[in-house]
Amino acid sequence: DVVELPEEEDFYDFTVDGLHNMIVRMQAGSENFVVVHNSSVYEATVGISGTRKEGKKEWTVRHCVAPLFEGYGNFGDFEDGPAAYRYTEARLSPIAEHLLVDPDYLAVTPMVMNYSGTKQMPLSLPAKLPLMMVNGGTTLAVGMSGGIPSYSVPDVLDLAIKALEGRVTNKDIAAKKPTSSYGGRCVSTTKDEPYRSYVLTGKGSVRYQPDYVVDERKRTITLTSVCVGLDKASSIVKFMTAVNDLPDVMRVVPSTGNGVYSIVIRCKPRGSDFEETLDKIVKLMTTSVSYDVVRLSRESEDEMSVAKLPILQLLTDWAAYRISLQTDVTNYRIQRVEQRVERIDLLIKAVDCLEIIMKSLRVDDSEAYLVRHMKVTPEQAHDILEMRVRQLKSLEKRKLLEERKACMTTLKTLRIDLKYP
Protein backbone atom coordinates (compact mmCIF):
# COMPACT_ATOMS: atom_id res chain seq x y z
CA ASP A 1 0.00 0.00 0.00
CA VAL A 2 2.63 2.53 -1.03
CA VAL A 3 1.64 5.56 -3.09
CA GLU A 4 4.66 6.78 -5.01
CA LEU A 5 4.27 10.39 -6.07
CA PRO A 6 5.60 11.49 -9.48
CA GLU A 7 8.67 13.70 -9.51
CA GLU A 8 7.08 16.44 -11.62
CA GLU A 9 4.59 17.40 -8.92
CA ASP A 10 5.56 20.86 -7.69
CA PHE A 11 4.17 20.55 -4.16
CA TYR A 12 7.45 19.10 -2.94
CA ASP A 13 8.42 22.66 -2.09
CA PHE A 14 7.62 22.47 1.62
CA THR A 15 5.41 25.54 1.84
CA VAL A 16 1.86 25.70 3.18
CA ASP A 17 0.86 24.72 -0.37
CA GLY A 18 3.07 21.66 -0.23
CA LEU A 19 1.87 20.56 3.19
CA HIS A 20 -1.76 21.18 2.23
CA ASN A 21 -1.52 19.08 -0.93
CA MET A 22 0.30 16.29 0.88
CA ILE A 23 -2.34 16.28 3.63
CA VAL A 24 -5.19 16.24 1.11
CA ARG A 25 -3.65 13.22 -0.62
CA MET A 26 -3.08 11.45 2.67
CA GLN A 27 -6.62 12.16 3.86
CA ALA A 28 -7.97 10.76 0.61
CA GLY A 29 -6.41 7.42 1.53
CA SER A 30 -5.16 7.74 5.08
CA GLU A 31 -4.14 4.08 5.25
CA ASN A 32 -1.54 4.60 2.52
CA PHE A 33 2.02 5.73 3.00
CA VAL A 34 3.56 8.44 0.87
CA VAL A 35 7.14 8.11 -0.29
CA VAL A 36 8.82 11.53 -0.12
CA HIS A 37 11.56 12.12 -2.69
CA ASN A 38 12.70 15.72 -2.70
CA SER A 39 15.64 16.33 -0.35
CA SER A 40 14.38 19.63 1.12
CA VAL A 41 10.93 18.17 1.74
CA TYR A 42 12.45 15.02 3.20
CA GLU A 43 14.44 17.03 5.74
CA ALA A 44 11.29 18.87 6.80
CA THR A 45 9.33 15.60 6.88
CA VAL A 46 11.90 14.07 9.22
CA GLY A 47 11.59 17.11 11.47
CA ILE A 48 7.85 16.68 12.01
CA SER A 49 7.73 12.88 11.93
CA GLY A 50 7.70 10.23 14.60
CA THR A 51 7.83 6.45 14.47
CA ARG A 52 6.21 3.72 16.51
CA LYS A 53 7.34 0.28 17.50
CA GLU A 54 5.28 -2.62 16.24
CA GLY A 55 2.16 -3.04 18.37
CA LYS A 56 2.88 -0.04 20.61
CA LYS A 57 0.93 3.19 20.82
CA GLU A 58 3.59 5.52 22.19
CA TRP A 59 6.06 7.36 19.99
CA THR A 60 9.47 5.74 20.33
CA VAL A 61 11.52 8.02 18.07
CA ARG A 62 10.34 11.55 17.49
CA HIS A 63 11.76 14.95 16.67
CA CYS A 64 8.86 17.00 18.04
CA VAL A 65 6.29 16.65 20.82
CA ALA A 66 3.32 16.07 18.49
CA PRO A 67 4.59 14.50 15.24
CA LEU A 68 2.36 15.48 12.32
CA PHE A 69 3.60 12.57 10.21
CA GLU A 70 3.83 8.93 11.21
CA GLY A 71 7.00 7.51 9.76
CA TYR A 72 7.85 3.98 8.76
CA GLY A 73 11.51 3.10 8.59
CA ASN A 74 14.65 4.63 10.08
CA PHE A 75 13.95 8.31 10.75
CA GLY A 76 17.00 8.65 12.99
CA ASP A 77 17.17 10.03 16.50
CA PHE A 78 19.23 12.50 18.52
CA GLU A 79 22.40 10.52 17.79
CA ASP A 80 22.02 9.30 14.22
CA GLY A 81 20.52 10.86 11.14
CA PRO A 82 17.68 9.31 9.12
CA ALA A 83 18.12 6.74 6.40
CA ALA A 84 17.96 7.79 2.74
CA TYR A 85 14.47 8.75 1.60
CA ARG A 86 14.07 5.57 -0.47
CA TYR A 87 14.09 3.51 2.73
CA THR A 88 11.40 5.50 4.55
CA GLU A 89 7.74 6.30 4.18
CA ALA A 90 5.36 8.64 5.99
CA ARG A 91 1.68 9.29 6.38
CA LEU A 92 -0.47 11.74 8.31
CA SER A 93 -0.32 10.91 12.02
CA PRO A 94 -3.47 10.40 14.14
CA ILE A 95 -2.75 13.54 16.15
CA ALA A 96 -2.53 15.59 12.94
CA GLU A 97 -5.94 14.25 11.95
CA HIS A 98 -7.29 15.81 15.16
CA LEU A 99 -5.31 19.07 15.12
CA LEU A 100 -5.74 20.06 11.48
CA VAL A 101 -9.21 21.39 10.78
CA ASP A 102 -11.49 20.13 8.02
CA PRO A 103 -11.59 21.55 4.45
CA ASP A 104 -14.48 23.90 5.29
CA TYR A 105 -11.93 26.23 6.88
CA LEU A 106 -9.86 26.34 3.71
CA ALA A 107 -12.95 27.62 1.89
CA VAL A 108 -12.84 30.80 3.99
CA THR A 109 -9.06 31.11 4.26
CA PRO A 110 -7.54 33.77 1.96
CA MET A 111 -5.78 32.19 -1.01
CA VAL A 112 -2.60 33.39 -2.72
CA MET A 113 -0.58 32.17 -5.67
CA ASN A 114 2.24 29.73 -5.03
CA TYR A 115 5.90 30.51 -5.77
CA SER A 116 5.58 29.55 -9.44
CA GLY A 117 2.26 31.31 -10.02
CA THR A 118 0.64 28.10 -11.24
CA LYS A 119 -1.64 27.26 -8.31
CA GLN A 120 -3.44 28.89 -5.44
CA MET A 121 -2.52 28.00 -1.89
CA PRO A 122 -4.00 28.99 1.48
CA LEU A 123 -2.41 31.99 3.16
CA SER A 124 -2.32 29.92 6.36
CA LEU A 125 -3.10 26.33 7.28
CA PRO A 126 -5.72 26.51 10.06
CA ALA A 127 -5.25 24.25 13.09
CA LYS A 128 -7.19 23.68 16.30
CA LEU A 129 -4.19 24.53 18.47
CA PRO A 130 -1.25 26.95 18.17
CA LEU A 131 1.16 24.28 16.88
CA MET A 132 4.05 26.72 17.28
CA MET A 133 3.80 26.09 21.02
CA VAL A 134 3.42 22.32 20.67
CA ASN A 135 6.37 21.72 18.36
CA GLY A 136 8.79 24.44 19.37
CA GLY A 137 12.48 24.87 18.74
CA THR A 138 15.17 27.41 17.94
CA THR A 139 15.86 28.68 14.46
CA LEU A 140 16.74 31.68 12.32
CA ALA A 141 13.92 33.79 10.96
CA VAL A 142 14.34 36.61 8.46
CA GLY A 143 17.78 37.63 9.64
CA MET A 144 17.04 37.26 13.34
CA SER A 145 17.35 34.35 15.73
CA GLY A 146 14.23 33.10 17.41
CA GLY A 147 12.92 30.19 19.39
CA ILE A 148 10.12 28.90 21.53
CA PRO A 149 10.05 25.87 23.85
CA SER A 150 7.69 22.97 23.30
CA TYR A 151 4.71 22.33 25.56
CA SER A 152 2.61 19.20 25.93
CA VAL A 153 -0.65 19.04 23.97
CA PRO A 154 -2.84 19.01 27.14
CA ASP A 155 -1.05 22.11 28.47
CA VAL A 156 -1.42 24.00 25.18
CA LEU A 157 -5.05 22.90 24.99
CA ASP A 158 -5.71 24.32 28.46
CA LEU A 159 -3.99 27.61 27.58
CA ALA A 160 -5.83 27.81 24.24
CA ILE A 161 -9.23 27.36 25.92
CA LYS A 162 -8.43 30.10 28.42
CA ALA A 163 -7.21 32.37 25.61
CA LEU A 164 -10.44 31.80 23.65
CA GLU A 165 -12.41 32.65 26.79
CA GLY A 166 -10.30 35.80 27.28
CA ARG A 167 -8.91 34.84 30.69
CA VAL A 168 -5.39 33.56 30.04
CA THR A 169 -2.67 35.22 32.17
CA ASN A 170 1.09 35.10 32.59
CA LYS A 171 0.52 33.10 35.77
CA ASP A 172 -1.22 30.40 33.71
CA ILE A 173 1.71 30.31 31.28
CA ALA A 174 4.28 30.10 34.09
CA ALA A 175 2.38 27.14 35.58
CA LYS A 176 2.82 25.15 32.36
CA LYS A 177 6.32 23.76 32.19
CA PRO A 178 8.02 23.32 28.80
CA THR A 179 8.65 19.75 27.74
CA SER A 180 10.95 17.84 25.40
CA SER A 181 10.21 15.37 22.64
CA TYR A 182 12.71 12.81 23.92
CA GLY A 183 11.98 13.19 27.63
CA GLY A 184 13.48 15.13 30.49
CA ARG A 185 11.82 17.93 32.39
CA CYS A 186 11.92 21.66 32.93
CA VAL A 187 13.45 22.60 36.29
CA SER A 188 13.05 26.37 35.98
CA THR A 189 10.79 28.17 38.43
CA THR A 190 9.35 31.67 38.57
CA LYS A 191 12.09 32.50 41.09
CA ASP A 192 14.63 32.21 38.26
CA GLU A 193 15.04 35.60 36.60
CA PRO A 194 15.78 34.19 33.08
CA TYR A 195 12.64 32.02 33.18
CA ARG A 196 10.51 34.87 34.55
CA SER A 197 11.84 37.09 31.77
CA TYR A 198 10.87 34.46 29.19
CA VAL A 199 7.32 34.23 30.55
CA LEU A 200 6.82 38.00 30.72
CA THR A 201 8.64 39.15 27.56
CA GLY A 202 9.21 36.07 25.41
CA LYS A 203 12.98 36.46 25.75
CA GLY A 204 14.85 34.49 28.38
CA SER A 205 16.05 30.98 29.12
CA VAL A 206 14.70 27.69 30.44
CA ARG A 207 16.66 25.03 32.35
CA TYR A 208 16.18 21.34 31.61
CA GLN A 209 17.29 18.07 33.16
CA PRO A 210 17.09 14.55 31.74
CA ASP A 211 15.25 11.88 33.69
CA TYR A 212 17.54 9.87 35.93
CA VAL A 213 17.43 7.15 38.58
CA VAL A 214 19.77 6.99 41.60
CA ASP A 215 20.80 3.70 43.19
CA GLU A 216 22.69 4.53 46.39
CA ARG A 217 23.42 0.89 47.17
CA LYS A 218 25.16 0.30 43.84
CA ARG A 219 26.34 3.93 43.79
CA THR A 220 25.08 4.49 40.25
CA ILE A 221 23.22 7.30 38.49
CA THR A 222 21.34 6.17 35.39
CA LEU A 223 20.10 8.72 32.86
CA THR A 224 16.97 7.24 31.30
CA SER A 225 16.38 10.00 28.76
CA VAL A 226 17.90 13.07 27.20
CA CYS A 227 16.46 16.59 27.22
CA VAL A 228 16.62 19.88 25.34
CA GLY A 229 20.24 21.01 25.20
CA LEU A 230 21.39 17.44 25.73
CA ASP A 231 19.82 15.86 22.65
CA LYS A 232 22.72 15.84 20.20
CA ALA A 233 25.56 13.39 19.95
CA SER A 234 28.16 16.14 20.43
CA SER A 235 26.53 17.51 23.59
CA ILE A 236 26.13 14.00 25.02
CA VAL A 237 29.80 13.19 24.38
CA LYS A 238 30.81 16.49 26.01
CA PHE A 239 28.67 15.70 29.05
CA MET A 240 30.02 12.15 29.37
CA THR A 241 33.62 13.43 29.13
CA ALA A 242 33.01 16.03 31.84
CA VAL A 243 31.40 13.43 34.13
CA ASN A 244 34.16 10.92 33.49
CA ASP A 245 36.72 13.52 34.62
CA LEU A 246 35.13 13.80 38.07
CA PRO A 247 37.48 12.24 40.67
CA ASP A 248 34.85 10.00 42.26
CA VAL A 249 33.46 8.57 38.99
CA MET A 250 34.77 5.16 37.92
CA ARG A 251 33.27 5.01 34.44
CA VAL A 252 30.44 6.24 32.23
CA VAL A 253 28.69 3.59 30.12
CA PRO A 254 26.09 4.44 27.44
CA SER A 255 23.51 1.75 26.77
CA THR A 256 20.92 1.36 24.00
CA GLY A 257 19.69 -2.15 24.76
CA ASN A 258 16.07 -3.09 24.01
CA GLY A 259 15.56 0.17 22.19
CA VAL A 260 15.93 2.18 25.43
CA TYR A 261 18.65 4.81 25.64
CA SER A 262 20.47 5.26 28.93
CA ILE A 263 23.79 6.41 30.40
CA VAL A 264 25.01 4.57 33.50
CA ILE A 265 27.44 6.48 35.72
CA ARG A 266 29.27 4.30 38.23
CA CYS A 267 30.89 5.97 41.24
CA LYS A 268 33.68 4.64 43.44
CA PRO A 269 32.39 2.32 46.13
CA ARG A 270 34.44 3.78 49.00
CA GLY A 271 36.31 6.87 50.02
CA SER A 272 34.00 9.25 48.18
CA ASP A 273 31.05 11.47 48.99
CA PHE A 274 28.26 10.07 46.82
CA GLU A 275 25.87 12.96 47.56
CA GLU A 276 28.46 15.54 46.56
CA THR A 277 29.25 13.64 43.36
CA LEU A 278 25.55 13.38 42.56
CA ASP A 279 25.17 17.16 42.97
CA LYS A 280 28.05 17.75 40.56
CA ILE A 281 26.59 15.36 37.99
CA VAL A 282 23.15 16.99 38.26
CA LYS A 283 24.74 20.39 37.63
CA LEU A 284 26.56 19.03 34.58
CA MET A 285 23.40 17.46 33.16
CA THR A 286 21.33 20.60 33.69
CA THR A 287 21.21 22.62 30.48
CA SER A 288 20.03 26.18 29.93
CA VAL A 289 18.42 27.01 26.57
CA SER A 290 17.78 30.59 25.48
CA TYR A 291 14.56 31.53 23.69
CA ASP A 292 13.34 34.62 21.91
CA VAL A 293 9.79 34.19 20.64
CA VAL A 294 9.43 35.36 17.03
CA ARG A 295 6.17 35.31 15.11
CA LEU A 296 6.30 35.36 11.33
CA SER A 297 2.91 36.42 9.99
CA ARG A 298 1.92 36.58 6.33
CA GLU A 299 -0.69 39.30 5.99
CA SER A 300 -1.21 38.98 2.22
CA GLU A 301 0.53 37.69 -0.89
CA ASP A 302 3.11 40.49 -0.77
CA GLU A 303 3.10 41.52 2.89
CA MET A 304 4.79 39.73 5.75
CA SER A 305 5.38 40.92 9.29
CA VAL A 306 7.91 39.77 11.86
CA ALA A 307 7.44 40.47 15.55
CA LYS A 308 9.11 39.49 18.79
CA LEU A 309 6.44 39.10 21.42
CA PRO A 310 5.63 37.40 24.75
CA ILE A 311 3.78 34.09 24.90
CA LEU A 312 0.69 35.82 26.30
CA GLN A 313 0.47 38.05 23.22
CA LEU A 314 1.03 35.05 20.97
CA LEU A 315 -1.88 33.23 22.60
CA THR A 316 -4.27 36.19 22.52
CA ASP A 317 -3.45 36.91 18.87
CA TRP A 318 -4.02 33.27 17.99
CA ALA A 319 -7.35 33.29 19.85
CA ALA A 320 -8.48 36.41 17.95
CA TYR A 321 -7.52 34.77 14.65
CA ARG A 322 -9.24 31.52 15.60
CA ILE A 323 -12.47 33.28 16.62
CA SER A 324 -12.48 35.26 13.38
CA LEU A 325 -11.88 32.08 11.41
CA GLN A 326 -14.66 30.23 13.23
CA THR A 327 -17.06 33.10 12.57
CA ASP A 328 -16.23 33.02 8.86
CA VAL A 329 -16.60 29.24 8.58
CA THR A 330 -19.90 29.29 10.51
CA ASN A 331 -21.27 31.92 8.13
CA TYR A 332 -20.02 29.80 5.23
CA ARG A 333 -21.80 26.73 6.58
CA ILE A 334 -25.00 28.72 7.19
CA GLN A 335 -24.90 29.95 3.60
CA ARG A 336 -24.33 26.41 2.33
CA VAL A 337 -27.26 24.98 4.34
CA GLU A 338 -29.51 27.85 3.27
CA GLN A 339 -28.68 27.10 -0.35
CA ARG A 340 -29.57 23.46 0.23
CA VAL A 341 -32.88 24.45 1.82
CA GLU A 342 -33.66 26.59 -1.25
CA ARG A 343 -32.81 23.62 -3.45
CA ILE A 344 -35.06 21.30 -1.42
CA ASP A 345 -37.93 23.81 -1.58
CA LEU A 346 -37.51 23.91 -5.34
CA LEU A 347 -37.53 20.10 -5.56
CA ILE A 348 -40.68 19.90 -3.41
CA LYS A 349 -42.35 22.44 -5.68
CA ALA A 350 -41.26 20.43 -8.71
CA VAL A 351 -42.84 17.27 -7.27
CA ASP A 352 -46.11 19.14 -6.62
CA CYS A 353 -46.11 20.68 -10.10
CA LEU A 354 -44.97 17.67 -12.12
CA GLU A 355 -47.85 18.00 -14.61
CA ILE A 356 -47.01 21.68 -15.25
CA ILE A 357 -43.38 20.72 -15.90
CA MET A 358 -44.47 18.07 -18.41
CA LYS A 359 -46.69 20.60 -20.20
CA SER A 360 -43.87 23.13 -20.35
CA LEU A 361 -41.84 20.70 -22.44
CA ARG A 362 -44.44 20.98 -25.21
CA VAL A 363 -44.29 24.77 -25.61
CA ASP A 364 -41.67 26.90 -27.34
CA ASP A 365 -40.48 28.88 -24.30
CA SER A 366 -40.46 26.31 -21.48
CA GLU A 367 -38.71 28.57 -18.98
CA ALA A 368 -41.22 31.40 -19.43
CA TYR A 369 -44.06 28.89 -19.05
CA LEU A 370 -42.66 27.65 -15.71
CA VAL A 371 -42.03 31.20 -14.48
CA ARG A 372 -45.63 32.11 -15.22
CA HIS A 373 -47.36 28.97 -13.91
CA MET A 374 -45.06 27.87 -11.06
CA LYS A 375 -44.16 31.36 -9.78
CA VAL A 376 -40.41 30.66 -9.88
CA THR A 377 -37.44 32.74 -11.05
CA PRO A 378 -35.90 32.21 -14.51
CA GLU A 379 -32.85 30.64 -12.85
CA GLN A 380 -35.03 28.18 -10.92
CA ALA A 381 -36.99 27.38 -14.05
CA HIS A 382 -33.72 26.64 -15.85
CA ASP A 383 -32.63 24.32 -13.02
CA ILE A 384 -35.93 22.42 -13.16
CA LEU A 385 -35.65 21.91 -16.92
CA GLU A 386 -32.08 20.67 -16.49
CA MET A 387 -33.33 17.81 -14.29
CA ARG A 388 -33.89 14.43 -15.84
CA VAL A 389 -37.46 13.22 -16.03
CA ARG A 390 -36.46 10.02 -14.21
CA GLN A 391 -34.99 12.10 -11.39
CA LEU A 392 -38.19 14.10 -11.01
CA LYS A 393 -40.24 10.92 -10.96
CA SER A 394 -38.07 9.28 -8.31
CA LEU A 395 -38.15 12.25 -5.92
CA GLU A 396 -40.07 11.43 -2.76
CA LYS A 397 -41.68 14.37 -1.07
CA ARG A 398 -41.53 12.70 2.36
CA LYS A 399 -37.75 12.31 2.21
CA LEU A 400 -37.36 15.88 1.00
CA LEU A 401 -39.43 17.17 3.90
CA GLU A 402 -37.34 15.12 6.37
CA GLU A 403 -34.12 16.50 4.89
CA ARG A 404 -35.51 20.02 5.07
CA LYS A 405 -36.35 19.53 8.74
CA ALA A 406 -32.81 18.32 9.43
CA CYS A 407 -31.37 21.31 7.57
CA MET A 408 -33.46 23.74 9.59
CA THR A 409 -32.21 22.11 12.82
CA THR A 410 -28.63 22.48 11.60
CA LEU A 411 -29.30 26.12 10.70
CA LYS A 412 -30.65 26.80 14.18
CA THR A 413 -27.56 25.26 15.80
CA LEU A 414 -25.17 27.20 13.54
CA ARG A 415 -26.92 30.50 14.24
CA ILE A 416 -26.71 29.83 17.99
CA ASP A 417 -22.95 29.10 17.56
CA LEU A 418 -22.56 32.38 15.68
CA LYS A 419 -24.05 34.33 18.57
CA TYR A 420 -21.91 32.57 21.18
CA PRO A 421 -19.83 35.25 22.94
Side-chain angles (χ1 to χ4, degrees), residues 404-417:
R404 190 183 193 282
K405 184 178 179 181
C407 286
M408 295 307 293
T409 301
T410 302
L411 269 178
K412 184 178 179 181
T413 303
L414 289 172
R415 285 167 178 157
I416 291 173
D417 290 344

PDB file of all heavy atoms in Angstrom, residues 404-417:
ATOM      1  N   ARG A 404     -35.329  18.595   4.790  1.00  0.00           N
ATOM      2  CA  ARG A 404     -35.510  20.022   5.066  1.00  0.00           C
ATOM      3  C   ARG A 404     -35.584  20.282   6.566  1.00  0.00           C
ATOM      4  O   ARG A 404     -35.005  21.260   7.076  1.00  0.00           O
ATOM      5  CB  ARG A 404     -36.789  20.525   4.393  1.00  0.00           C
ATOM      6  CG  ARG A 404     -36.927  22.042   4.419  1.00  0.00           C
ATOM      7  CD  ARG A 404     -38.233  22.493   3.807  1.00  0.00           C
ATOM      8  NE  ARG A 404     -38.219  23.929   3.572  1.00  0.00           N
ATOM      9  CZ  ARG A 404     -38.405  24.843   4.520  1.00  0.00           C
ATOM     10  NH1 ARG A 404     -38.630  24.467   5.781  1.00  0.00           N
ATOM     11  NH2 ARG A 404     -38.369  26.140   4.222  1.00  0.00           N
ATOM     12  N   LYS A 405     -36.246  19.397   7.282  1.00  0.00           N
ATOM     13  CA  LYS A 405     -36.351  19.535   8.740  1.00  0.00           C
ATOM     14  C   LYS A 405     -34.968  19.424   9.387  1.00  0.00           C
ATOM     15  O   LYS A 405     -34.630  20.200  10.296  1.00  0.00           O
ATOM     16  CB  LYS A 405     -37.287  18.456   9.290  1.00  0.00           C
ATOM     17  CG  LYS A 405     -37.533  18.571  10.787  1.00  0.00           C
ATOM     18  CD  LYS A 405     -38.501  17.497  11.265  1.00  0.00           C
ATOM     19  CE  LYS A 405     -38.722  17.602  12.767  1.00  0.00           C
ATOM     20  NZ  LYS A 405     -39.651  16.535  13.254  1.00  0.00           N
ATOM     21  N   ALA A 406     -34.167  18.478   8.891  1.00  0.00           N
ATOM     22  CA  ALA A 406     -32.814  18.317   9.425  1.00  0.00           C
ATOM     23  C   ALA A 406     -31.964  19.544   9.127  1.00  0.00           C
ATOM     24  O   ALA A 406     -31.170  19.993   9.973  1.00  0.00           O
ATOM     25  CB  ALA A 406     -32.168  17.065   8.835  1.00  0.00           C
ATOM     26  N   CYS A 407     -32.125  20.107   7.940  1.00  0.00           N
ATOM     27  CA  CYS A 407     -31.374  21.308   7.568  1.00  0.00           C
ATOM     28  C   CYS A 407     -31.752  22.490   8.450  1.00  0.00           C
ATOM     29  O   CYS A 407     -30.892  23.277   8.858  1.00  0.00           O
ATOM     30  CB  CYS A 407     -31.616  21.653   6.099  1.00  0.00           C
ATOM     31  SG  CYS A 407     -30.775  20.565   4.926  1.00  0.00           S
ATOM     32  N   MET A 408     -33.029  22.628   8.747  1.00  0.00           N
ATOM     33  CA  MET A 408     -33.464  23.737   9.590  1.00  0.00           C
ATOM     34  C   MET A 408     -32.922  23.588  11.016  1.00  0.00           C
ATOM     35  O   MET A 408     -32.570  24.579  11.663  1.00  0.00           O
ATOM     36  CB  MET A 408     -35.002  23.805   9.616  1.00  0.00           C
ATOM     37  CG  MET A 408     -35.630  24.129   8.257  1.00  0.00           C
ATOM     38  SD  MET A 408     -34.948  25.623   7.484  1.00  0.00           S
ATOM     39  CE  MET A 408     -35.522  26.881   8.626  1.00  0.00           C
ATOM     40  N   THR A 409     -32.806  22.345  11.505  1.00  0.00           N
ATOM     41  CA  THR A 409     -32.214  22.107  12.823  1.00  0.00           C
ATOM     42  C   THR A 409     -30.736  22.493  12.823  1.00  0.00           C
ATOM     43  O   THR A 409     -30.236  23.123  13.761  1.00  0.00           O
ATOM     44  CB  THR A 409     -32.364  20.627  13.216  1.00  0.00           C
ATOM     45  OG1 THR A 409     -33.752  20.274  13.225  1.00  0.00           O
ATOM     46  CG2 THR A 409     -31.766  20.367  14.587  1.00  0.00           C
ATOM     47  N   THR A 410     -30.051  22.119  11.737  1.00  0.00           N
ATOM     48  CA  THR A 410     -28.633  22.480  11.604  1.00  0.00           C
ATOM     49  C   THR A 410     -28.466  23.993  11.544  1.00  0.00           C
ATOM     50  O   THR A 410     -27.554  24.560  12.169  1.00  0.00           O
ATOM     51  CB  THR A 410     -28.042  21.841  10.329  1.00  0.00           C
ATOM     52  OG1 THR A 410     -28.208  20.426  10.392  1.00  0.00           O
ATOM     53  CG2 THR A 410     -26.568  22.175  10.196  1.00  0.00           C
ATOM     54  N   LEU A 411     -29.352  24.664  10.805  1.00  0.00           N
ATOM     55  CA  LEU A 411     -29.297  26.123  10.703  1.00  0.00           C
ATOM     56  C   LEU A 411     -29.473  26.776  12.069  1.00  0.00           C
ATOM     57  O   LEU A 411     -28.763  27.728  12.416  1.00  0.00           O
ATOM     58  CB  LEU A 411     -30.383  26.621   9.752  1.00  0.00           C
ATOM     59  CG  LEU A 411     -30.019  26.782   8.278  1.00  0.00           C
ATOM     60  CD1 LEU A 411     -31.227  27.234   7.484  1.00  0.00           C
ATOM     61  CD2 LEU A 411     -28.873  27.766   8.111  1.00  0.00           C
ATOM     62  N   LYS A 412     -30.399  26.253  12.848  1.00  0.00           N
ATOM     63  CA  LYS A 412     -30.655  26.803  14.180  1.00  0.00           C
ATOM     64  C   LYS A 412     -29.413  26.672  15.055  1.00  0.00           C
ATOM     65  O   LYS A 412     -29.030  27.623  15.762  1.00  0.00           O
ATOM     66  CB  LYS A 412     -31.843  26.082  14.815  1.00  0.00           C
ATOM     67  CG  LYS A 412     -32.244  26.653  16.168  1.00  0.00           C
ATOM     68  CD  LYS A 412     -33.455  25.915  16.727  1.00  0.00           C
ATOM     69  CE  LYS A 412     -33.843  26.480  18.086  1.00  0.00           C
ATOM     70  NZ  LYS A 412     -35.028  25.756  18.660  1.00  0.00           N
ATOM     71  N   THR A 413     -28.764  25.494  14.997  1.00  0.00           N
ATOM     72  CA  THR A 413     -27.563  25.265  15.796  1.00  0.00           C
ATOM     73  C   THR A 413     -26.438  26.192  15.367  1.00  0.00           C
ATOM     74  O   THR A 413     -25.715  26.777  16.195  1.00  0.00           O
ATOM     75  CB  THR A 413     -27.101  23.791  15.653  1.00  0.00           C
ATOM     76  OG1 THR A 413     -28.166  22.936  16.054  1.00  0.00           O
ATOM     77  CG2 THR A 413     -25.867  23.528  16.496  1.00  0.00           C
ATOM     78  N   LEU A 414     -26.244  26.343  14.056  1.00  0.00           N
ATOM     79  CA  LEU A 414     -25.174  27.205  13.538  1.00  0.00           C
ATOM     80  C   LEU A 414     -25.389  28.663  13.922  1.00  0.00           C
ATOM     81  O   LEU A 414     -24.435  29.382  14.252  1.00  0.00           O
ATOM     82  CB  LEU A 414     -25.084  27.071  12.024  1.00  0.00           C
ATOM     83  CG  LEU A 414     -24.522  25.743  11.478  1.00  0.00           C
ATOM     84  CD1 LEU A 414     -24.675  25.673   9.968  1.00  0.00           C
ATOM     85  CD2 LEU A 414     -23.063  25.577  11.862  1.00  0.00           C
ATOM     86  N   ARG A 415     -26.626  29.112  13.887  1.00  0.00           N
ATOM     87  CA  ARG A 415     -26.923  30.499  14.243  1.00  0.00           C
ATOM     88  C   ARG A 415     -26.707  30.739  15.739  1.00  0.00           C
ATOM     89  O   ARG A 415     -26.296  31.828  16.138  1.00  0.00           O
ATOM     90  CB  ARG A 415     -28.355  30.856  13.832  1.00  0.00           C
ATOM     91  CG  ARG A 415     -28.481  31.063  12.318  1.00  0.00           C
ATOM     92  CD  ARG A 415     -29.910  31.108  11.859  1.00  0.00           C
ATOM     93  NE  ARG A 415     -29.983  31.349  10.401  1.00  0.00           N
ATOM     94  CZ  ARG A 415     -31.027  31.015   9.653  1.00  0.00           C
ATOM     95  NH1 ARG A 415     -32.092  30.466  10.212  1.00  0.00           N
ATOM     96  NH2 ARG A 415     -30.995  31.259   8.354  1.00  0.00           N
ATOM     97  N   ILE A 416     -26.991  29.720  16.557  1.00  0.00           N
ATOM     98  CA  ILE A 416     -26.707  29.831  17.992  1.00  0.00           C
ATOM     99  C   ILE A 416     -25.195  29.907  18.203  1.00  0.00           C
ATOM    100  O   ILE A 416     -24.683  30.713  18.996  1.00  0.00           O
ATOM    101  CB  ILE A 416     -27.306  28.631  18.764  1.00  0.00           C
ATOM    102  CG1 ILE A 416     -28.830  28.724  18.750  1.00  0.00           C
ATOM    103  CG2 ILE A 416     -26.760  28.597  20.187  1.00  0.00           C
ATOM    104  CD1 ILE A 416     -29.521  27.500  19.339  1.00  0.00           C
ATOM    105  N   ASP A 417     -24.418  29.073  17.463  1.00  0.00           N
ATOM    106  CA  ASP A 417     -22.947  29.097  17.558  1.00  0.00           C
ATOM    107  C   ASP A 417     -22.401  30.466  17.165  1.00  0.00           C
ATOM    108  O   ASP A 417     -21.442  30.952  17.765  1.00  0.00           O
ATOM    109  CB  ASP A 417     -22.347  28.029  16.656  1.00  0.00           C
ATOM    110  CG  ASP A 417     -22.615  26.627  17.162  1.00  0.00           C
ATOM    111  OD1 ASP A 417     -22.989  26.488  18.336  1.00  0.00           O
ATOM    112  OD2 ASP A 417     -22.461  25.671  16.374  1.00  0.00           O
TER     113      ASP A 417
END
